[in-house]
Amino acid sequence: MLSATKLMFVPVMLAVLIAASVTALAQSQAAPKIKTPQGDIALELIGQVQNVPMTQTSNQYGYLSSVNVSPASDDEGLHNLTTPFGGIAFEVVGQVTNFAGQPATSQQYGYLNLINGLSSDQIFTPANPTLQNETTARFTFFTDAVTERVISNGRLRIVNRIGTTTIYLDETPDGDFSNRDTFRDGTPVVTMAYRQQVILDTGEGISGVAGSGTFTVMNLLTVAAVQTFEIGGENYRLGKPRDQFRQFYSGAPTPTTPPNGVFAGYAVAIERAEPDKD
């Protein structure tokens, strides 16, 4: 007769063996994926055990009484565009308009001229590179930011801002830097929390014009939400929540306003943000 310990061991071992077979089947290229949420019951079984005398072996057999098969994942056939840490995820061309107030605010807007994983004819409507600009860009961005503080350090002025950056897909591009709202009239595909440091050289970038020096910018972007979109009959997603990017701009003030400045830069993928701890 089996001991109580062995009786408990039998269904566990049988479950492990069957689960391993199910997993192997699910991982084959031709088989659908079978997934069970963590902590849920994957399968139930009924069986018997037969010990073989003198051989120290045991035969276990039975049948599955229940299998939890989840529906096919929504990610089937989806192109998740991810970038290795340290790689360039996207490049931007944009302008900035600042507003006085308590607190001061800033709007930064423009278009993406490179996205890792997409070709130029997916990013722009024309194939001719000389026609690839804000008027033909499918992907635009718009940042709404609030100024936290401004720090003076000699001829440098340091500005800290926080806010939200959204990337849009516009299948009928109409970007126009004289109308910044044209860069947020598409469908949102990525929303990111945004933290910015601007370092402005207040020297004379334009001869005889004080405060017209160049500026550099570092943004920390953390993905808050993503939306699947379609291009050419294929589904794509630009990353996933908690992805993070360190973004760098170089820019210069403009002689007349608006805008207050023009810039261009790129975003580098960095380690993902830690999940919130409640």
Side-chain angles (χ1 to χ4, degrees):
M1 179 177 294
L2 289 172
S3 66
T5 300
K6 290 182 178 178
L7 284 173
M8 294 174 62
F9 179 71
V10 168
V12 172
M13 279 301 299
L14 188 55
V16 170
L17 291 172
I18 296 176
S21 299
V22 171
T23 300
L25 176 63
Q27 291 176 343
S28 67
Q29 293 183 353
K33 293 182 178 179
I34 300 175
K35 297 181 179 179
T36 302
Q38 186 173 356
D40 286 1
I41 295 174
L43 50 87
E44 296 176 356
L45 51 90
I46 297 174
Q48 296 183 2
V49 59
Q50 181 181 38
N51 292 327
V52 181
M54 306 301 292
T55 66
Q56 299 297 317
T57 61
S58 177
N59 296 324
Q60 298 138 26
Y61 46 90
Y63 63 94
L64 299 179
S65 60
S66 174
V67 178
N68 183 3
V69 180
S70 300
S73 169
D74 290 339
D75 288 349
E76 294 294 332
L78 177 68
H79 301 282
N80 273 306
L81 302 181
T82 58
T83 303
F85 294 162
I88 294 178
F90 54 90
E91 296 178 357
V92 299
V93 176
Q95 297 186 3
V96 54
T97 299
N98 299 324
F99 302 90
Q102 295 297 328
T105 60
S106 177
Q107 292 183 337
Q108 300 160 26
Y109 43 88
Y111 64 97
L112 281 66
N113 62 300
L114 180 145
I115 299 174
N116 183 35
L118 294 180
S119 61
S120 60
D121 59 348
Q122 292 174 307
I123 299 171
F124 296 93
T125 51
N128 186 343
T130 63
L131 301 177
Q132 295 174 352
N133 51 44
E134 71 276 10
T135 67
T136 60
R138 286 192 173 99
F139 295 89
T140 62
F141 71 94
F142 202 100
T143 297
D144 280 303
V146 175
T147 299
E148 286 190 314
R149 68 185 61 85
V150 178
I151 302 169
S152 293
N153 182 19
R155 61 184 281 176
L156 298 181
R157 186 161 66 246
I158 297 93
V159 184
N160 298 130
R161 298 187 177 108
I162 58 173
T164 302
T165 292
T166 303
I167 296 176
Y168 299 86
L169 171 64
D170 191 345
E171 284 291 5
T172 55
D174 59 350
D176 180 355
F177 279 118
S178 66
N179 179 5
R180 54 184 175 273
D181 286 335
T182 59
F183 295 99
R184 57 177 173 183
D185 62 0
T187 301
V189 293
V190 183
T191 302
M192 296 175 284
Y194 162 98
R195 183 167 191 86
Q196 180 178 74
Q197 181 195 62
V198 181
I199 302 177
L200 172 67
D201 182 350
T202 62
E204 294 184 358
I206 301 173
S207 179
V209 181
S212 59
T214 59
F215 59 85
T216 58
V217 178
M218 193 284 290
N219 299 328
L220 176 63
L221 305 176
T222 304
V223 176
V226 295
Q227 178 65 45
T228 301
F229 60 91
E230 181 180 319
I231 294 181
E234 298 287 334
N235 290 325
Y236 295 87
R237 191 176 294 160
L238 293 178
K240 52 189 174 181
R242 297 192 293 112
D243 281 354
Q244 289 197 124
F245 307 96
R246 186 171 288 118
Q247 190 173 37
F248 303 92
Y249 292 165
S250 293
T254 53
T256 59
T257 60
N260 295 89
V262 296
F263 62 84
Y266 59 95
V268 173
I270 61 175
E271 187 174 354
R272 301 185 72 216
E274 292 292 332
D276 293 333
K277 295 180 175 62
D278 297 327

